[in-house]
Amino acid sequence: VYGLLGLAGDADELGIRPDYTTSTTLAQVFTQTARAIIQKNWKMQRKRGLQILRYGSLGQRKSAPKNQTDLPSWVPEWNGKIAKTYQREMSFLACGVIRMPDLVPTSSSTILGLRAFCVGAIVDLGEQARVDIWRRSPDGAKKIVGFFDNVRRLLNM
């Protein structure tokens, strides 16, 4: 991240200052960078401010290296292969283009505060469909059936 600041035309606007002290963790650098990008984009074009959330893990991290155990779920892991959690162009427009969520201050840098409407509470999570990987697996058919059993269970809730 720090190495790319010299190449970024908007590095000054992001306000990220390299900190190479041993007390600075990789998770802190990634979190600071994600927050800076969200805040900068929010000022320029609000609906694009949350686009970076598509690259966070949102609870789907396969493994967390020792120095990333405190990485918030909304922060992308920029040291590995980055994949979109959500594929659609804009996944965070529950109220359409009529009203955008507002950024709000929080008590911790690891918490991303957004003012919005609560429309419900998450009570359970299913598994991400990985049919392309499961097809090549010896127990792939069992995993696919298990996935649909889980979908049925969630629908019945």
Side-chain angles (χ1 to χ4, degrees):
V1 170
Y2 294 158
L4 293 174
L5 286 176
L7 301 174
D10 59 353
D12 290 338
E13 296 171 40
L14 290 174
I16 300 169
R17 302 290 172 251
D19 180 1
Y20 292 103
T21 59
T22 56
S23 61
T24 303
T25 66
L26 188 60
Q28 289 171 324
V29 174
F30 286 177
T31 303
Q32 174 193 21
T33 303
R35 183 174 294 281
I37 291 170
I38 289 170
Q39 289 173 335
K40 176 189 175 282
N41 288 342
W42 199 263
K43 291 174 190 171
M44 294 175 56
Q45 192 178 13
R46 291 185 67 189
K47 76 177 190 176
R48 295 238 179 247
L50 299 178
Q51 288 291 334
I52 197 170
L53 295 180
R54 293 179 2 176
Y55 299 95
S57 72
L58 301 179
Q60 298 178 34
R61 292 198 205 291
K62 296 300 177 217
S63 62
K66 187 176 183 180
N67 59 355
Q68 286 182 226
T69 54
D70 56 347
L71 191 63
S73 62
W74 55 272
V75 177
E77 293 177 84
W78 280 303
N79 62 340
K81 181 182 177 190
I82 297 177
K84 291 179 185 176
T85 306
Y86 294 98
Q87 297 300 321
R88 289 187 20 208
E89 177 58 27
M90 188 59 180
S91 302
F92 301 98
L93 282 176
C95 40
V97 295
I98 298 169
R99 183 173 175 164
M100 305 300 294
D102 295 317
L103 287 175
V104 294
T106 61
S107 60
S108 169
S109 65
T110 62
I111 299 172
L112 180 65
L114 298 171
R115 182 175 293 120
F117 295 104
C118 180
V119 294
I122 297 171
V123 294
D124 201 351
L125 297 172
E127 185 179 355
Q128 181 180 4
R130 301 208 163 252
V131 177
D132 56 326
I133 295 171
W134 294 340
R135 275 193 305 217
R136 296 186 295 262
S137 172
D139 60 344
K142 183 178 178 181
K143 289 181 180 183
I144 292 171
V145 169
F147 171 78
F148 284 109
D149 285 344
N150 196 25
V151 169
R152 184 180 304 112
R153 180 185 61 81
L154 292 171
L155 288 171
N156 288 330
M157 289 182 72

